[in-house]
Amino acid sequence: MILLLVAAVLGGTFLAWSAQAGSVPPPGHRHGHEAVGGRSGLGSVDLKGWAKEQIASDKERRAQPRPKTAVSPTAARSGAVTAVRQAGFVRAAAAADPTTLVLYDTGGPYGRLGELYAMAAANLAGHFGTVTAKPVQQYTAGMIGSYTAVIYIGSTYYCCDVPDAIPAAFYQDVSTSTKPVIWMGANIWNMANSVGTAQFTQRYGWDPTSSYYEDGGSVGTVTQVTYRNQTLTRKIPAGQDGGVLRPNILTGPGYPEVTRLAEGLDSSNGHTFGWAVRSANLTYVGEIPFAYVSESDRVIAAEDLLFDALAPATAERHRAMLRLEDISPASDPAELRTMADYLYAQKIPYGVNVIPVYKDPKGTYNNGTAQTITLVQRPQVVSALKYMLARGAVLMDHGYTHQYGNVANPYNGVTGDDFEFYRAHVDSADNVVYDGPVAEDSALWAQGRVAAALTQFTLAGLPKPALWTTPHYAASAADYKVFSSNFSARLERSLYFSGTLGGNSAGPNAFIGQFFPYVVKDVYGTKVLPENIGNYEPEAFNNHPARLPADLVASAKANLAVRDGFASFFYHPYYPTQPLKDTVDGIKALGYTFVSPTSL
């Protein structure tokens, strides 16, 4: 899912509780999977309408008269694939502090998509250095020279009834510069028309004016992308896929080599094509890969491609990170100690995400009697936490109560099950639907929740948590900034809201959700640590399948395509130790090294 990004939502399973003298039942954790965004990763965006419009525009462009090129698209598809990743790339010297210019569209009926996608790109570029993002129409001649690299996000299809808003100066500067340019999505054909198709093809070796989203008369179904020896998934619901541009790569005398960096597979006809291609200073990606992403998705290829433009000397390195999730005063201290002993024996540092106050306002798990428990009231849990900290754990804050008031949000009002900083409900089709920030949301209100949580840690004799994870990964932009002002970093997936870049919000629930394969400084100006392969979840929930150790390990394998990336996941300690062992062993076998969250 997601725009970005993500397809995961809340999850968990109810665990039978064996009553013990003096103990209390733990939260049900029917929904312990953290979430980000809707099923597409985009809030309140009609991707079906956008896809329909893009396909219609591409058909209309294809029907327009155009000059013939040296080789037909069909012949180009059958050409040899260039496997060398760097071939033909004119590279500027690596910058000590890389700077990135992100340009995005704002026009047309789906103009607000541009800012959402631009935030996703800017967040990734924030791993490397400073980022400037602005609407493409604000580009002026020579601006490219002030940056290490440029990323253009073509989300509005300029054709037919939608006039081209891209300045001719941008087209000209891209075509004559040696600065790396990463172009995602639409309008590359307009650049070729602007600078001259002959000039474009002679420099770049392919013809965008005869490249289309259709293949054999239909958009088809691109289900797989292969990149750096990893097979990545692409799963987009029927009717919401705008397609992937199939570059018409030209062969013969006078055309430079085009490197097919990533191979797309159209499962409707078995055709393969360059999902991402590079020649001279231009890297072209045939779609904007930030919607309907998963932990093994083709967005991984885009995340790694930024290294070529912004940090080409980066050495191969693969690190793993683990946190234990949804620990509260209602947790079983014996389970915590068991986890601590296993991880200590394996010499694995890890985070412990603690919710300092447990609430069950309706008595859902307490025979109908409301219940509130603080850490101070559970000294055995506090002792277990200190035991973990002495054996390599890092204390993290996971909200104040991880639920909202006395209402179902969206399940039952119980700590660990519900959202704390965002409203949500479950629809008739069993999907979690995001409704927007809570009614009283503000920076002051969020700061009050954080201060109350920190007080509880102090009263229990625990140190201040080093990091923060937002309950169910959902809060407002103001909330995220508050969290980061109280902690050195957030370890999580996050929502990024319309208006953050341009100042004009499309509404309180217009956002893009995103997770990262590496540490970033995001568009809120905050440091975010990665969580990118999800969590163990043995039962299906809210239309999401179970997620077993083999699935997490498979996602870790896919993320090996990121040359300096992470396999970061979380685990609920109320589950048995064996699935955690299986996951850890599988990730280690791939060559990952576990590191502490505070080492980043």
Side-chain angles (χ1 to χ4, degrees):
M1 102 172 177
I2 201 162
L3 213 4
L4 259 162
L5 313 158
V6 178
V9 114
L10 319 178
T13 184
F14 177 75
L15 297 180
W17 173 261
S18 56
Q20 301 176 24
S23 66
V24 295
H29 295 296
R30 299 175 189 267
H31 315 282
H33 196 146
E34 304 300 335
V36 61
R39 296 186 66 82
S40 68
L42 289 163
S44 65
V45 173
D46 178 18
L47 282 180
K48 183 174 288 188
W50 168 83
K52 183 178 180 181
E53 180 172 284
Q54 173 154 296
I55 292 169
S57 296
D58 205 54
K59 286 182 178 178
E60 187 170 347
R61 179 174 69 90
R62 187 166 196 161
Q64 295 173 350
R66 59 178 176 79
K68 291 185 177 181
T69 54
V71 181
S72 70
T74 301
R77 277 196 300 271
S78 64
V81 176
T82 303
V84 180
R85 185 157 47 88
Q86 304 294 344
F89 188 32
V90 178
R91 188 193 310 285
D97 181 21
T99 56
T100 305
L101 174 63
V102 176
L103 301 170
Y104 60 95
D105 298 323
T106 58
Y110 299 96
R112 64 174 170 157
L113 273 174
E115 183 189 27
L116 298 179
Y117 290 137
M119 287 190 289
N123 288 336
L124 294 174
H127 171 69
F128 301 91
T130 57
V131 183
T132 300
K134 60 180 61 184
V136 68
Q137 61 264 34
Q138 295 180 13
Y139 183 88
T140 57
M143 191 178 288
I144 192 173
S146 300
Y147 297 90
T148 307
V150 175
I151 301 172
Y152 166 66
I153 309 293
S155 60
T156 296
Y157 197 118
Y158 296 126
C159 172
C160 321
D161 296 331
V162 182
D164 192 353
I166 302 175
F170 178 61
Y171 293 140
Q172 187 63 36
D173 285 353
V174 172
S175 69
T176 57
S177 176
T178 59
K179 293 293 182 74
V181 175
I182 298 174
W183 190 301
M184 297 182 181
N187 306 317
I188 189 68
W189 47 87
N190 289 335
M191 175 179 163
N193 286 327
S194 179
V195 303
T197 304
Q199 178 178 326
F200 188 101
T201 58
Q202 287 165 14
R203 185 174 194 205
Y204 296 116
W206 64 285
D207 183 5
T209 68
S210 57
S211 301
Y212 305 99
Y213 293 92
E214 290 187 353
D215 178 18
S218 67
V219 168
T221 305
V222 180
T223 58
Q224 177 181 299
V225 172
T226 304
Y227 176 73
R228 297 193 77 212
N229 300 316
Q230 298 300 328
T231 299
L232 310 175
T233 58
R234 185 179 185 272
K235 299 178 181 179
I236 299 180
Q240 300 191 38
D241 188 355
V244 184
L245 194 77
R246 323 295 172 98
N248 178 12
I249 298 176
L250 306 177
T251 59
Y255 293 115
E257 181 181 50
V258 178
T259 303
R260 285 165 61 159
L261 302 167
E263 288 292 294
L265 170 66
D266 190 333
S267 60
S268 67
N269 53 27
H271 290 169
T272 61
F273 62 96
W275 182 86
V277 298
R278 177 181 296 145
S279 50
N281 66 319
L282 179 65
T283 298
Y284 177 75
V285 179
E287 64 169 327
I288 304 169
F290 295 141
Y292 289 106
V293 308
S294 70
E295 292 84 354
S296 303
D297 187 78
R298 86 284 193 200
V299 73
I300 292 170
E303 292 164 345
D304 182 74
L305 284 171
L306 295 186
F307 283 94
D308 288 341
L310 294 165
T314 301
E316 195 86 10
R317 178 173 57 167
H318 302 289
R319 290 172 286 178
M321 196 158 56
L322 163 67
R323 74 175 194 263
L324 299 181
E325 190 78 346
D326 287 342
I327 298 169
S328 80
S331 295
D332 182 349
E335 292 174 346
L336 300 181
R337 289 174 179 269
T338 297
M339 289 287 169
D341 289 341
Y342 161 67
L343 294 170
Y344 181 69
Q346 293 294 310
K347 295 181 173 58
I348 294 177
Y350 59 101
V352 286
N353 246 351
V354 179
I355 310 159
V357 175
Y358 170 80
K359 284 183 173 289
D360 183 356
K362 300 179 185 227
T364 301
Y365 304 118
N366 193 43
N367 299 318
T369 301
Q371 190 172 42
T372 297
I373 314 169
T374 67
L375 285 171
V376 170
Q377 293 171 317
R378 288 294 176 264
Q380 290 183 333
V381 172
V382 174
S383 177
L385 289 171
K386 292 179 178 179
Y387 183 84
M388 301 172 94
L389 297 180
R391 286 159 179 77
V394 171
L395 187 62
M396 301 170 55
D397 188 350
H398 195 26
Y400 177 39
T401 63
H402 203 316
Q403 54 83 241
Y404 177 67
N406 299 324
V407 300
N409 189 37
Y411 302 111
N412 51 31
V414 179
T415 289
D417 283 358
D418 278 15
F419 291 77
E420 181 173 350
F421 294 88
Y422 216 80
R423 293 307 308 269
H425 71 275
V426 179
D427 67 14
S428 59
D430 196 32
N431 298 309
V432 174
V433 178
Y434 285 53
D435 299 320
V438 299
E440 64 270 49
D441 182 66
S442 69
L444 183 63
W445 176 81
Q447 181 60 51
R449 304 289 292 184
V450 172
L454 294 177
T455 296
Q456 292 298 319
F457 285 106
T458 300
L459 291 174
L462 291 167
K464 178 185 176 181
L467 303 168
W468 168 275
T469 300
T470 305
H472 285 335
Y473 294 153
S476 70
D479 296 342
Y480 286 124
K481 292 176 182 178
V482 167
F483 305 150
S484 294
S485 70
N486 287 270
F487 303 90
S488 61
R490 307 193 314 271
L491 197 173
E492 61 182 25
R493 308 179 179 196
S494 302
L495 306 181
Y496 295 94
F497 289 86
S498 168
T500 299
L501 299 180
N504 296 316
S505 173
N509 205 37
F511 60 75
I512 181 172
Q514 189 171 13
F515 55 88
F516 308 107
Y518 33 61
V519 180
V520 306
K521 183 177 181 181
D522 67 11
V523 293
Y524 298 144
T526 60
K527 183 178 180 180
V528 185
L529 309 187
E531 185 278 279
N532 62 326
I533 66 170
N535 70 298
Y536 170 71
E537 183 50 63
E539 295 185 6
F541 61 94
N542 296 131
N543 297 309
H544 295 286
R547 192 158 174 81
L548 304 178
D551 299 308
L552 273 71
V553 174
S555 293
K557 183 177 185 299
N559 276 275
L560 288 172
V562 180
R563 67 198 69 178
D564 186 14
F566 281 79
S568 179
F569 70 105
F570 62 93
Y571 193 87
H572 291 90
Y574 49 76
Y575 287 130
T577 307
Q578 190 59 50
L580 177 60
K581 292 180 179 178
D582 294 341
T583 305
V584 167
D585 289 346
I587 290 174
K588 280 185 173 181
L590 292 171
Y592 285 92
T593 300
F594 278 87
V595 298
S596 171
T598 55
S599 69
L600 306 178

